[in-house]
Amino acid sequence: MNDRIRRTLVALLIATFAAPVLFGQAPASLSVDLGRSKAPVSPTLYGLMTEEINYSYDGGLYAESIRNRTFRSDWTGILNWFLIEKGTSSAKVDVDSKEGPSTALTTSAKLEVTRADANSPAGLLNEGYWGIAVRPHTRYTGSFYAKSNSDGALPVKVALVADQSGQVMASASVTVTGTAWKEYKFEMQSGNAPASAENHFELTIDKAATLWLQLVSLFPPTYHDRPNGNRVDIMEKLAAMHPSFLRFPGGNYLEGGRIETRFDWKKMIGPLVDRPTHPTTWSYHSSDGMGLLEYLQWCEDLRMEPLLGVYAGYSLGGQVVKPGPDLEPYVQEALDEIEYVTGGTGTKWGAMRARDGHPAPFKLRYVEVGNEDSFDRAKTYDGRFAQFFKAIKTKYPDLQVIATMPVNGITPDLVDDHYYHREQRAFELARRYDNADRKGPKIFVGEWATREGTPTPNFGSALGDAAFMTGLERNSDLVVMAAYAPLFVNVNPGGMQWSTDLIGYDALSSYGSPAYHAQVMFSSCLGDHTPESSLSGASEKVFYSVTATAKSKVCMKLVNAASTAQAVTISLKGLGDGTRKATLDTLKASTTWATNTIAAPDRIVPVRSTVNVKAERLEHVLPAYSIQVLEINLQ
Ligand code: AHR
């Protein structure tokens, strides 16, 4: 054997045994050239999509604790409210259809107490949204509208009461005076008892009287202490997703089942007493406490930009408004809505926003016309979209207008693509945009999810999602925005209308599904461009993307959806000699069916470790069923 051959053989042996060999397989090879940029990555790639579905706001993000605060009823009586007759008291309750505090709320609950005293109070009980959370040493703020049948003072006691023990967890007294409608406010403080959702609300009086009630409301502390605000735990989960935008108000919720039940934004601004409430497309009624301004404040709180969906003349039941003069009022409604969001206080709707407590205009760049208009059997979207597009561009030339499907005759700025699929299809869709046409409109993936597992996605879904997101990142020059849907589900029986949803909760606590953690990991590290890269020798179920920001960071996403580990030699040309420490976040499970639940919220959570990248090279093993994010700091 001559010297040359011996040196080659030695080099081969070193190369073979220095790299991890799994199951007799040579490692795959992932080569990244940091010096060669391929495409830009959109800074708005990751955002949120939201609507009233699965008790997303009422019984979810919107922190109101009282369910059916406006006393709607059916043949069984007033929904979610129950009569209290303690001791020897005697009372009845009914809806009074002629008495209400406003033109929006024209009815009320009429509580007629014929006998009551201090030991035998009577009144009403509210069950909350599958209970009411009470935490130790916490302040609750409440209010109601009331009038009584006499000019004198009528003391009213309000309390949070433990379901099982009857223990009063917090209470306050309010004096109702007179026969005219007034708003009453109260505060109450809980004591030392442990946190629980097994509580209800009681409102009682201890003498004979007739009391009319409307808009009974109770809030725990909210995120950023906003009045009429959002739940802290859920907002914190959203903040961890680093969302850049919020698409609202839907989804089917925007369209309504019928035109009258669309998201009629003018009925969802201003004081709550001026909001009539409305039925949703998702088989329950909305309190409309989450109105247009509340959405915008939610954006403000999480530093997201609003992506406003405007009603476009198509409702889910099939009703369509013909393009032309019939559609004009709806176009005007959208222009007014944009003015409410962006107008100065000198404009009609900007002044209304100031009246509602927010003089400063909001920044708005994106407006979406309708939702999933491919379902319109009359095929009127080309005409409807053109009418909205022209009107919006004439008044607001800088706005980017999004179509909900490809349109003829006019080129939208963006088109909204939706994907709901199983895990296997997600793997195919991961490559959906790799060779897509770059000459047309940009793409907004306004709704997407891998749908396996219920009420929240299991680890197989997380793998499908992660694979899909690698495709979004590789093609983010084209796909400039994307949002998972649906975002929320109340996990109590009856809380769910859509069977796979990112974040689950009950009245007390919330949890992130494995798919939620995949979202957090992906959005937490994103560069501003994709460097040239290639992968060879890996299993079909390995997916990756690399993004980087010069002199700042490299973010590598590695997904192994196979049941066996995959060795990979990663080379990072341009990283420079020497050793760099990188953080590696790993989310993994033993089966695709493994998941988190409200009772076991932390079974599958990311685990952080540190790895050394030596001389532009890393010998790495992707564990079976794993999602990893490798972040290399370049500073
Ligand atoms: O995300 C649930 C529903 O799916 C949305 O409301 C609708 O747009 C889509 O069909």
Side-chain angles (χ1 to χ4, degrees):
M1 194 183 302
N2 70 27
D3 245 350
R4 227 183 91 236
I5 297 176
R6 209 181 54 237
R7 274 204 306 273
T8 314
L9 272 178
V10 169
L12 258 173
L13 280 171
I14 289 170
T16 308
F17 290 110
V21 178
L22 287 166
F23 311 111
Q25 284 173 354
S29 160
L30 173 52
S31 309
V32 182
D33 188 343
L34 294 172
R36 288 173 59 215
S37 170
K38 188 173 179 207
V41 171
S42 164
T44 55
L45 181 59
Y46 292 114
L48 304 178
M49 184 276 167
T50 175
E51 66 177 315
E52 184 58 282
I53 182 175
N54 304 317
Y55 292 85
S56 282
Y57 311 143
D58 291 353
L61 179 70
Y62 177 56
E64 173 66 84
S65 300
I66 304 295
R67 185 162 180 184
N68 186 21
R69 64 190 178 189
T70 52
F71 297 106
R72 285 174 308 97
S73 62
D74 68 6
W75 61 273
T76 61
I78 301 177
L79 299 166
N80 315 112
W81 288 91
F82 302 89
L83 189 65
I84 298 173
E85 287 175 311
K86 287 188 184 159
T88 56
S89 68
S90 177
K92 68 174 187 161
V93 66
D94 244 315
V95 170
D96 188 333
S97 58
K98 297 203 172 62
E99 279 292 344
S102 65
T103 50
L105 299 178
T106 55
T107 66
S108 55
K110 183 179 180 186
L111 174 69
E112 289 175 275
V113 178
T114 45
R115 193 169 58 235
D117 59 43
N119 295 319
S120 300
L124 295 177
L125 177 159
N126 187 272
E127 62 180 334
Y129 290 95
W130 297 275
I132 297 180
V134 178
R135 293 186 170 76
H137 308 293
T138 303
R139 201 149 198 78
Y140 296 84
T141 50
S143 59
F144 56 80
Y145 282 78
K147 57 177 250 170
S148 83
N149 61 339
S150 90
D151 286 330
L154 177 64
V156 173
K157 186 178 169 197
V158 287
L160 282 165
V161 179
D163 293 343
Q164 306 307 326
S165 66
Q167 189 186 342
V168 174
M169 312 303 287
S171 67
S173 289
V174 185
T175 304
V176 169
T177 51
T179 55
W181 282 107
K182 283 183 221 152
E183 186 184 16
Y184 296 88
K185 297 192 171 168
F186 60 89
E187 288 197 348
M188 49 192 184
Q189 172 92 21
S190 62
N192 207 11
S196 161
E198 284 189 63
N199 306 285
H200 61 266
F201 174 79
E202 292 187 3
L203 183 152
T204 51
I205 56 179
D206 60 10
K207 65 180 190 183
T210 300
L211 182 65
W212 286 263
L213 291 160
Q214 186 49 284
L215 202 60
V216 181
S217 173
L218 183 72
F219 277 80
T222 58
Y223 193 74
H224 286 180
D225 290 325
R226 279 201 190 274
N228 199 43
N230 293 336
R231 254 172 76 162
V232 176
D233 58 331
I234 301 179
M235 284 293 272
E236 285 173 347
K237 287 201 170 52
L238 298 180
M241 292 172 74
H242 303 285
S244 61
F245 67 87
L246 179 72
R247 174 182 179 231
F248 67 87
N252 296 154
Y253 180 60
L254 166 71
E255 305 160 71
R258 290 171 290 116
I259 296 175
E260 312 84 81
T261 58
R262 71 189 183 282
F263 184 84
D264 195 350
W265 69 272
K266 288 182 186 171
K267 294 182 179 159
M268 299 182 210
I269 54 170
L272 297 179
V273 73
D274 295 331
R275 303 185 194 187
T277 78
H278 82 291
T280 70
T281 28
W282 295 106
S283 77
Y284 62 95
H285 206 88
S286 165
S287 75
D288 293 349
M290 177 67 78
L292 181 55
L293 185 60
E294 287 77 16
Y295 279 112
L296 294 165
Q297 288 171 329
W298 175 6
C299 290
E300 202 161 67
D301 280 347
L302 297 187
R303 296 203 194 87
M304 306 179 285
E305 58 179 304
L307 190 158
L308 180 67
V310 296
Y311 178 75
Y314 167 71
S315 289
L316 210 56
Q319 268 180 307
V320 178
V321 185
K322 274 202 307 269
D326 290 358
L327 194 63
E328 236 1 80
Y330 299 96
V331 174
Q332 191 55 48
E333 188 174 290
L335 293 176
D336 292 347
E337 190 172 7
I338 297 167
E339 187 174 286
Y340 185 91
V341 178
T342 64
T345 52
T347 63
K348 177 179 170 192
W349 291 102
M352 287 295 248
R353 188 196 59 242
R355 174 210 70 174
D356 296 342
H358 203 289
F362 292 89
K363 185 178 154 207
L364 179 71
R365 287 197 296 164
Y366 298 100
V367 171
E368 180 163 11
V369 178
N371 176 63
E372 293 190 343
D373 289 82
S374 53
F375 285 99
D376 168 8
R377 294 226 192 115
K379 309 266 176 259
T380 60
Y381 191 59
D382 283 350
R384 287 187 290 112
F385 180 78
Q387 201 169 333
F388 275 89
F389 185 89
K390 282 177 199 150
I392 293 170
K393 287 283 185 183
T394 303
K395 190 155 181 211
Y396 301 100
D398 293 338
L399 279 180
Q400 298 277 292
V401 182
I402 305 171
T404 68
M405 60 181 287
V407 282
N408 295 310
I410 221 156
T411 309
D413 296 304
L414 295 97
V415 173
D416 182 355
D417 284 353
H418 291 181
Y419 300 101
Y420 291 109
H421 43 251
R422 293 284 179 91
E423 189 192 0
Q424 290 306 315
R425 177 76 182 133
F427 300 152
E428 291 161 29
L429 287 170
R431 299 184 170 109
R432 160 81 179 81
Y433 293 108
D434 284 347
N435 300 306
D437 172 27
R438 256 63 179 173
K439 288 188 224 78
K442 298 283 185 201
I443 303 293
F444 167 41
V445 181
E447 294 179 26
W448 71 272
T450 310
R451 301 187 66 203
E452 295 191 20
T454 196
T456 49
N458 59 29
F459 195 71
S461 280
L463 288 168
D465 287 356
F468 183 68
M469 285 189 283
T470 63
L472 296 179
E473 294 194 356
R474 276 196 311 278
N475 295 287
S476 181
D477 58 319
L478 175 65
V479 183
V480 291
M481 289 187 280
Y484 186 102
L487 196 53
F488 297 135
V489 62
N490 188 312
V491 299
N492 280 291
M496 182 182 78
Q497 290 82 49
W498 185 271
S499 62
T500 311
D501 311 287
L502 199 65
I503 296 171
Y505 44 77
D506 58 16
L508 185 67
S509 59
S510 52
Y511 71 99
S513 60
Y516 163 81
H517 291 297
Q519 294 271 333
V520 171
M521 287 164 66
F522 268 62
S523 61
S524 297
C525 189
L526 190 67
D528 61 13
H529 69 277
T530 53
E532 291 288 349
S533 66
S534 64
L535 175 69
S536 60
S539 114
E540 292 249 296
K541 288 193 174 173
V542 170
F543 303 85
Y544 84 99
S545 62
V546 189
T547 64
T549 302
K551 298 194 182 125
S552 171
K553 63 184 173 192
V554 178
C555 303
M556 186 176 289
K557 317 287 165 64
L558 300 163
V559 182
N560 182 12
S563 60
T564 50
Q566 169 77 61
V568 58
T569 300
I570 301 172
S571 74
L572 287 144
K573 193 168 165 209
L575 194 63
D577 287 342
T579 301
R580 278 182 191 272
K581 279 207 179 319
T583 58
L584 180 70
D585 288 340
T586 302
L587 190 70
K588 64 186 175 83
S590 303
T591 79
T592 55
W593 217 246
T595 199
N596 294 334
T597 66
I598 192 88
D602 297 325
R603 284 187 192 130
I604 303 167
V605 291
V607 174
R608 177 158 289 189
S609 60
T610 309
V611 295
N612 289 325
V613 186
K614 243 188 225 166
E616 304 190 338
R617 195 177 160 96
L618 176 66
E619 299 298 346
H620 185 59
V621 176
L622 279 59
Y625 295 144
S626 68
I627 299 165
Q628 296 190 306
V629 177
L630 180 77
E631 177 167 357
I632 308 170
N633 191 336
L634 300 182
Q635 283 159 344

